[in-house]
Amino acid sequence: MRRILVLGIVLTLFGSCSDDFEEGDSFFHVFNDDIAQAKYMPESVAITGSGYMMLSAKGEWTPHVVWMDASGNLDGSWEAPQGVIHPASGIVSLGGVPHFVCMDQVTLQPILFAAPSAGQVVEIGRLSGGQYPLCFGAGADGNPFLVAYERQSRRTMFYQMNASGAITGIKGFNNLQEIDDLVLAHIKRQKMYPFFAGALPGGGYYFNGLVNYSYSFLLIDQELNQQALYQGTQYKGGVAAALPLGEGWAVHRFLNNEMYFGYPVSVAPSGVFTAQNLGGGLRFQWMPGTPVRFKSHSLDGKSYLLVGYTGTDAQMHLSVLSSSGQELGTFDLGQGAPARLADMAIDQDGGVVLCGSFSVAGQFVRPGLFKLDYNELRLLAGLEEEES
Amino acid sequence: MDMKRESCIFNLDMQFKVVLMGFAVLFSLSAIAQNPVRVGVYGGINLTNVLSTESHSVLEPTPVGPDREGKEYIEWFNSEQMGFQAGLMGLIPITDQISVVPMLLYMQHHFRYDVSQRFTDTLNPDPLVYDQRFRHQLRYLQIPVMLRWDIAPNRFSPFVQAGAYAGFLIDGQKSLDERLLPESQLPQDNNEGFVRAQSGPGDDALQSFDAGMLGGLGVRWRGNILEVGLMVNLRWELTAPVLDSRRYANAEGWATSAMDVYDEFSMQHLEAGVYLLLTPGAGQSSGNWANCSFGSNKKRRRRN
């Protein structure tokens, strides 16, 4: 009997053994389509109340939206009706509802859409007189703005809006050169320019556009007056990503097929310069012509810079940099299945989502979303694992 | 992520010590048993069945997504599901007919699942079919402990046994074969046309520890020194093999390279094997192995 008792104890101990792991928040989903020729080029990702929303161009330029729940599972999709084309980069939350901008195929007018819930998209209005939307963003006050190109006057336009989408200020920046082909190539996703924009910490905006015969980077004040201009090398080089941070700017610029990155970089608040004045180190491993994204993030109360890019190895990469610019860790995504980064966003729980295109079966290009949870980011930054 | 692994290894180390302690107690108690302890070797083959309880996939079909039914698991009786096991076995008698059977086994489990997708080509009426075939090989060090009842206290007896096992994952290998062909060109033999796309470690998202129940039946022939037997057992894994926290996190692994992640699943194994046990020290009192006769314990006690 004693031996049976001992055996019972041993078996009980066997049964009690288990690995004590918490459920992870990471996920990776690629949204598939049964049309072999369908090709998706994601533009932007946004965090919604219930999960995520990803805006892509399907085929040449048809706007396409995918909603995901908090676990990254498909929650709905939407394809723009005929006549609506070209999703401009950027999703802005107004009153908690994601908004984005597309273009009318005939009039070239920017169209503002709201996406109140998964699968539902509502047209809010059309920007009369405007043409060729390039980039949609929000200022420090949360109100949206739109960067667009006006072909007749050959100007890059900055439209300041209020929370309901009404125009409150307009400013044009002269380019003075016929560049319709270049803009059309961007809209048709043949040769894309990484248009971006954001809010300056002390008020005002920064954006890049086609200004002064080149692909230029501008700083403007709250009244939309030009403060600083960093000219590109015609349209073959310029600032392609920038983010103002406490320690200085994170700046990515390109010149022909060379990709440069600097952090922290000093960006003069006023004056006229060339993009090359911003310096930066050559990044051989960054794939030319692909978007680079910066996000500021706080991990355990310390500030870090997240840099997302597509590598020459056809993988997405996410690097974590300290505030002094030291690279602490890099995460690779897409080994064996070619991937291209489009955008990234900081999640409400402190994780980061990366959206981009992935090749199913090596050839069907589909939009996908990868989430790296907060703890994985901490480990990338070299911080010790939290006690659970 | 590595830190998580390290903490897991620490836990497993503790568990392993507990198991070893249990064996030590059992063997020390057996020293006072009337019937001799027998030790030997065991080996055989096993067939694996995978029971998926929750489907997980990287690829999410949109409303116009391809016809995709998820993973199709190959069931028990297929050569691709066959692995082998081998190791040490003991028999610790408690009474004439009841024994404790501890084992230390190297287990190799194989299983396969297929994923198929169909893409419509708007320029060509012949759709494209993309088939993926994932093969898995998991290797465990397992410690089963069973309670065995010999139906007859004779030289030849059938027996039934049941118990539990704990296992530690040694490693897991995974391979992907794939083919992308127009539907009209699919070979008649569904196994043709595949090419190896990838192979390598596949255990990054797997638990290091597994445990479950097992039981079965067999027959044995017992002599004074030697015992041989044949047994068939069914193993039912009770722990979830996949780490939720790493299912998608292993971004450098299969999730992104082949867009494949593990479902939530459990494994069952049907195993058959033969064993050979010896009685350590038997015959030494006579000083001559040749004088040892194969007979029942009852006869040996009568001679003494």
Side-chain angles (χ1 to χ4, degrees), chain B residues 97-98 148-154 156-160 217-218 220:
Chain B
Q97 286 170 266
I98 297 175
R148 172 172 136 175
W149 177 53
D150 288 19
I151 291 170
N154 301 328
F156 181 83
S157 171
F159 60 83
V160 291
L217 45 86
R220 60 117 177 102

Side-chain angles (χ1 to χ4, degrees), chain A residues 96-124:
Chain A
V97 177
H99 286 63
F100 60 94
V101 171
C102 300
M103 187 176 92
D104 187 289
Q105 189 173 8
V106 178
T107 65
L108 313 180
Q109 280 179 308
I111 311 168
L112 180 63
F113 288 100
S117 61
Q120 192 188 4
V121 171
V122 182
E123 183 179 321
I124 301 298

Side-chain angles (χ1 to χ4, degrees), chain A residues 288-341:
Chain A
T290 56
V292 173
R293 292 286 182 262
F294 300 132
K295 291 288 173 192
S296 172
H297 199 17
S298 174
L299 301 169
D300 290 359
K302 286 175 69 179
S303 291
Y304 294 89
L305 173 68
L306 307 185
V307 180
Y309 62 92
T310 305
T312 49
D313 53 6
Q315 293 184 45
M316 284 187 198
H317 301 271
L318 176 71
S319 294
V320 179
L321 275 70
S322 70
S323 55
S324 62
Q326 185 193 356
E327 190 171 316
L328 303 170
T330 297
F331 178 85
D332 312 315
L333 178 64
Q335 182 192 39
R340 183 180 183 276
L341 178 84

Side-chain angles (χ1 to χ4, degrees), chain B residues 44-112:
Chain B
I45 58 166
N46 64 76
L47 294 165
T48 297
N49 184 54
V50 173
L51 189 67
S52 172
T53 52
E54 190 179 286
S55 180
H56 286 269
S57 175
V58 167
L59 289 172
E60 285 258 323
T62 59
V64 290
D67 182 18
R68 184 177 184 278
E69 295 296 325
K71 301 181 183 78
E72 185 188 336
Y73 289 91
I74 307 301
E75 293 183 348
W76 296 97
F77 298 102
N78 186 303
S79 60
E80 301 230 35
Q81 304 296 101
M82 192 165 73
F84 73 89
Q85 71 272 359
L88 302 173
M89 176 179 166
L91 190 74
I92 306 167
I94 296 172
T95 68
D96 277 353
Q97 286 170 266
I98 297 175
S99 314
V100 174
V101 183
M103 300 170 108
L104 177 65
L105 297 180
Y106 167 87
M107 303 285 301
Q108 188 192 64
H109 300 310
H110 285 204
F111 65 91
R112 188 190 105 190

Side-chain angles (χ1 to χ4, degrees), chain A residues 33 35-42 56-62 64 188-190 340 357-359 363-367:
Chain A
D33 184 326
I35 305 298
Q37 291 92 344
K39 183 181 176 184
Y40 293 80
M41 290 193 73
S56 304
K58 180 181 177 183
E60 193 175 38
W61 55 18
T62 304
H64 185 270
K188 289 184 169 182
R189 270 70 189 165
Q190 291 163 346
R340 183 180 183 276
S357 56
F358 294 85
S359 297
Q363 55 183 287
F364 307 124
V365 182
R366 304 290 186 254

Side-chain angles (χ1 to χ4, degrees), chain A residues 221-242:
Chain A
D221 61 22
Q222 193 65 31
E223 285 69 47
L224 311 186
N225 299 310
Q226 178 183 314
Q227 299 298 309
L229 171 71
Y230 283 84
Q231 279 194 202
T233 309
Q234 297 175 318
Y235 308 102
K236 298 170 185 170
V239 176

